[in-house]
Amino acid sequence: MDQLALHGGTPVRSEILPYGRQWIDEEDIQAVIEVLRSDWLTTGPSVARFEEAFASLCQTPHAIAVSSGTAALHTAMFAAGAGEGDEVIVPTMTFAATANCALYQGASPVFADVDPATLLIDPDSVENLITNRTRAVITVDYTGHPCDYDRFRSICDQHDLILIDDASHSVGALYRGRPTGSLADLSTFSFHPVKHITGGEGGMITTDRDDYAEAMKKFRNHNIDSVFQQRAREGTWYYEVVDLGFNYRFTDIQSALASSQLTRLPAWLKRRREIAETYTEAFRELDAVHPLTVSPEVEHAWHLFVIRLDLDRLTVDRGEVFRALRAEGIGVNVHYIPVHLHPYYRERLGTAPGLCPIAEEAYERILSLPLYPKMSDRDIEDVVTAVAKVTAAFRR
Ligand SMILES: *Cc1c(COP(=O)(O)O)cnc(C)c1O
């Protein structure tokens, strides 16, 4: 057997393959240059065009662009009316921003556990956490797999809660034939470079509610009433700040890039699915490596490919497998440290280990493998070779 690079052997790759990466082509560059030569730099006609294209992709009436996925979540919390005294149920297996948006509005995040097969927020756990202070539920389509929205819809309707989909991972995914962005009262997206399409930074909220859309357009622009703003443009100085707002504006420069990227989303999703299929097929041979379960009801968007290690079959822990794969040149990562385990939430909210046992156990075993459309077939092969090499070397 080949010696591990970690122990002085030859690595599978000499240069590290990242877990995710953007793909910028000449068309993207030209689109940005065009905006730089135009009259508008910040929120203008290019943002409006991007919002329209995005709403159409999501088959929903409204898409409101903001400066980041985190800003999108905060804006959605504002639209949902979450505030002091309210509780917002979120999965613990997510990025911290999903929980922070509740805190930004003075509400409290309440952490739900996840389903052991998919690591998606568990509807039974959500139901057990509902109190008379619960205002909203934020589901996260972890790895790009939509949650069970028919079930969440019925839970939220029954308890009069607002359903928010943090769809940062799942642009272009389908649940029972319906696209993400149309599955909840409010859905949020991120255009960070590691996500499906990028604007450098950026975010989006989609909704079918006219009142939410109006409120969010004000919120992203200091909560200035846009009707008055319009009037100001037409020659009067008067405008009104109607509530506390923020500067969460998306720019025409960013949306030119993001619009250009959006045209390639279908091809990129296809490539992501191909890569995921290759991994899934290859790992059938490895009994210490288990990909997450995929429901037949969804078309997965494959932001992440997460494997779970069977530690009973290995002589080392996840940390050592992580280091061994990095040494082989494979840029693995871990998504995520359960949010409730971070020191900030422990101190502020009193959370502790034991609160979400399924997520905590999964966290000790998961690794995210490189997955992005620009990966070559050779890159994919290297990942498979390295995972096989490392798990064989550490096989009990
Ligand atoms: C990326 C991400 C965010 C935050 O998006 P930013 O654009 O980085 O602010 C929020 N939630 C999830 C699940 C994410 O993956």
Side-chain angles (χ1 to χ4, degrees):
M1 187 197 308
D2 284 352
Q3 191 169 25
L4 293 181
L6 190 66
H7 302 149
T10 310
V12 172
R13 299 172 66 90
S14 49
E15 265 178 56
I16 196 108
L17 185 71
Y19 88 89
R21 201 183 141 68
Q22 74 276 14
W23 189 346
I24 302 293
D25 73 2
E26 202 48 44
E27 257 174 64
D28 295 328
I29 293 167
Q30 286 310 318
V32 171
I33 289 172
E34 214 171 287
V35 166
L36 289 173
R37 294 194 205 284
S38 79
D39 290 338
W40 281 95
L41 295 181
T42 189
T43 315
S46 168
V47 169
R49 278 195 299 273
F50 180 50
E51 289 175 333
E52 205 173 301
F54 203 88
S56 156
L57 170 81
C58 296
Q59 294 171 28
T60 191
H62 304 287
I64 289 102
V66 292
S67 52
S68 70
T70 304
L73 283 162
H74 185 189
T75 304
M77 278 285 100
F78 174 79
E84 211 71 50
D86 290 335
E87 293 172 351
V88 177
I89 300 174
V90 304
T92 192
M93 187 56 83
T94 186
F95 184 57
T98 314
N100 289 347
C101 65
L103 293 167
Y104 296 161
Q105 284 299 101
S108 297
V110 175
F111 296 102
D113 210 342
V114 293
D115 178 281
T118 57
L119 306 188
L120 293 170
I121 183 170
D122 178 4
D124 294 328
S125 172
V126 169
E127 278 193 311
N128 289 332
L129 293 169
I130 293 170
T131 71
N132 55 16
R133 294 166 62 176
T134 310
R135 176 91 197 166
V137 176
I138 308 182
T139 56
V140 174
D141 301 330
Y142 175 70
T143 73
H145 187 307
C147 299
D148 183 354
Y149 283 99
D150 285 349
R151 178 85 195 277
F152 280 107
R153 180 81 273 163
S154 100
I155 293 171
C156 287
D157 285 351
Q158 195 183 333
H159 298 273
D160 198 19
L161 308 176
I162 297 165
L163 178 57
I164 301 172
D165 175 8
D166 179 346
S168 300
H169 296 185
S170 64
V171 62
L174 304 176
Y175 167 78
R176 296 188 170 161
R178 283 136 51 203
T180 53
S182 72
L183 302 168
D185 296 308
L186 293 147
S187 304
T188 69
F189 297 85
S190 163
F191 308 125
H192 181 277
V194 90
K195 305 290 163 64
H196 285 74
I197 63 163
T198 190
E201 293 278 356
M204 188 75 83
I205 315 101
T206 59
T207 184
D208 61 0
R209 291 258 308 241
D210 298 348
D211 54 341
Y212 288 169
E214 278 317 302
M216 295 192 292
K217 280 181 197 163
K218 292 188 190 113
F219 186 76
R220 72 173 167 188
N221 189 29
H222 309 282
N223 250 320
I224 287 172
D225 193 314
S226 52
V227 178
F228 286 106
Q229 203 192 15
Q230 176 90 26
R231 206 176 289 166
R233 237 183 267 133
E234 287 159 5
T236 106
W237 48 268
Y238 188 75
Y239 65 89
E240 285 185 344
V241 173
V242 292
D243 199 339
L244 181 64
F246 292 80
N247 176 358
Y248 282 160
R249 290 186 300 259
F250 199 46
T251 69
D252 265 30
I253 304 169
Q254 292 170 305
S255 62
L257 174 56
S259 287
S260 176
Q261 296 249 304
L262 193 62
T263 63
R264 303 207 292 295
L265 180 65
W268 287 350
L269 284 166
K270 187 164 167 276
R271 180 63 177 158
R272 283 178 178 275
R273 285 170 186 146
E274 268 170 26
I275 298 168
E277 261 169 47
T278 307
Y279 283 159
T280 305
E281 198 53 46
F283 298 149
R284 274 194 236 285
E285 316 278 313
L286 306 179
D287 63 1
V289 174
H290 302 294
L292 300 180
T293 301
V294 179
S295 157
E297 314 228 278
V298 309
E299 190 81 46
H300 203 306
W302 292 110
H303 165 54
L304 298 174
F305 194 95
V306 171
I307 56 169
R308 197 178 349 210
L309 300 171
D310 186 342
L311 296 181
D312 294 338
R313 293 193 157 107
L314 298 171
T315 56
V316 293
D317 65 6
R318 185 267 318 273
E320 191 71 356
V321 175
F322 178 96
R323 284 184 288 278
L325 283 166
R326 285 280 178 115
E328 298 297 338
I330 307 303
V332 285
N333 216 316
V334 175
H335 297 93
Y336 294 92
I337 302 166
V339 179
H340 73 278
L341 296 181
H342 287 289
Y344 178 73
Y345 308 95
R346 289 200 202 195
E347 270 168 45
R348 179 158 174 180
L349 305 167
T351 57
L355 185 67
C356 299
I358 296 168
E360 290 167 30
E361 192 190 309
Y363 164 62
E364 301 293 339
R365 290 160 175 75
I366 51 177
L367 282 173
S368 305
L369 302 181
L371 174 57
Y372 53 95
K374 212 178 179 180
M375 280 176 83
S376 68
D377 290 348
R378 180 66 205 274
D379 293 336
I380 302 164
E381 226 172 273
D382 285 348
V383 175
V384 170
T385 303
V387 170
K389 177 181 174 183
V390 167
T391 52
F394 291 138
R395 189 71 173 77
R396 193 179 282 283

